Amino acid sequence: MVRAPCFDKNGIKRGAWSEDEDNKLRSYIAIYGHSNWRELPKLAGLSRCGKSCRLRWMNYLRPNVKHGNFTKEEEDIIVALHNKYGNKWSTMASRLPGRSDNEIKNYWHTHLKNRVQKDQKTTVMIKNEQVITSSSSPETCYVVKEEQVTKAANPKQCPAVEKLNFKTQLQEVNILVQVLSSESPSSSSSSASESSPCSLSVSDHHDVLNDFAAPQICEPDENSWIEQFLLDNDSIITSSDNNYIFSPLGFTDDDDGITQQASFQDYIMDDELLWSTLDL
DNA sequence: AAGTACTCCAACCGCGACGGA
DNA sequence: TTCCGTCGCGGTTGGAGTACT
């Protein structure tokens, strides 16, 4: 499954790397590092170009590089990051420890792209009439249409319920926020809790829910599932230094005291808005 | 068993970004 | 400011392995 070794007109070897070449590169970098990729192959006794050495090191020989199957969690992270960044493979790789940009790119194209495209088709089909189910009572189905949430007369009218499941979307956001908050510039200099780069705060749930600015609900007494969901899922997230807070109310940056408040519908219905709100 | 089509991933290529002279 | 060398990124390709006919 690799290119057959060959030599170009300058005597530079190309194609698959041999065990011996790997060892040479590995041991050279272990001793001298890789400050100059161009000079490295000569010094290490390799008939390769610097670019090829760099690629081999970054994708395969580097310590802590994981090989083999991606976990379900890794898949979710990749999908979430791709939503946010598009084809920024190196950015995605920096948030997935042990995976190279090349590996993520390959995995996306061979495994995830088709799956996500399928999902998007389903979303487009019901673009103007989106559906949410309650996580606590799946038999209840809400239709969101132009700033209004109405309870569907018949849950069977909700053909794509799973694709737009509220819980699933927020879980995806939670994963992304955890990944992103771990590399937030301000969190690195934090003097606050050291325990986790991303901790959940439930202490403000009550206030948050009191302030909850939901759009017009046609049947206000029957939206209790929303509260129930919020309590069930600890969906208010703060980074360890409390600089960033993600909550159903908006994305808060305590540094300048600005709270960007988005509508309930924004968070649930519009991926673009949702990601742009998480502008880290 | 043999031929063909398809899958997957390591490696290559070209280009833009960046830093130093 | 411009030029040049190097690095890193993202798209593409080659070809071994596997599935299908």
Side-chain angles (χ1 to χ4, degrees), chain A residues 138-204:
Chain A
E139 71 281 3
T140 307
C141 175
Y142 288 83
V143 177
V144 178
K145 199 174 182 179
E146 295 178 3
E147 299 295 333
Q148 288 195 338
V149 180
T150 55
K151 187 180 178 184
N154 179 359
K156 288 180 182 175
Q157 293 171 346
C158 311
V161 154
E162 287 186 13
K163 299 296 180 190
L164 286 165
N165 186 285
F166 186 26
K167 187 177 177 181
T168 305
Q169 287 207 4
L170 274 170
Q171 279 174 337
E172 202 170 276
V173 172
N174 288 351
I175 290 168
L176 182 62
V177 168
Q178 286 173 35
V179 171
L180 296 180
S181 64
S182 69
E183 49 90 40
S184 163
S186 52
S187 65
S188 62
S189 58
S190 166
S191 58
S193 166
E194 305 270 335
S195 59
S196 166
C198 179
S199 59
L200 299 175
S201 167
V202 294
S203 58
D204 294 333

Side-chain angles (χ1 to χ4, degrees), chain A residues 193-254:
Chain A
S193 166
E194 305 270 335
S195 59
S196 166
C198 179
S199 59
L200 299 175
S201 167
V202 294
S203 58
D204 294 333
H205 266 168
H206 182 72
D207 291 342
V208 166
L209 291 170
N210 282 343
D211 294 342
F212 188 69
Q216 182 181 350
I217 308 290
C218 297
E219 296 180 67
D221 291 336
E222 299 200 31
N223 70 336
S224 58
W225 65 270
I226 295 172
E227 288 193 17
Q228 186 58 48
F229 166 75
L230 294 174
L231 292 167
D232 285 349
N233 289 276
D234 287 340
S235 57
I236 299 167
I237 297 175
T238 64
S239 64
S240 56
D241 59 354
N242 287 331
N243 277 346
Y244 298 98
I245 300 171
F246 179 74
S247 78
L249 289 176
F251 193 75
T252 304
D253 182 346
D254 282 348

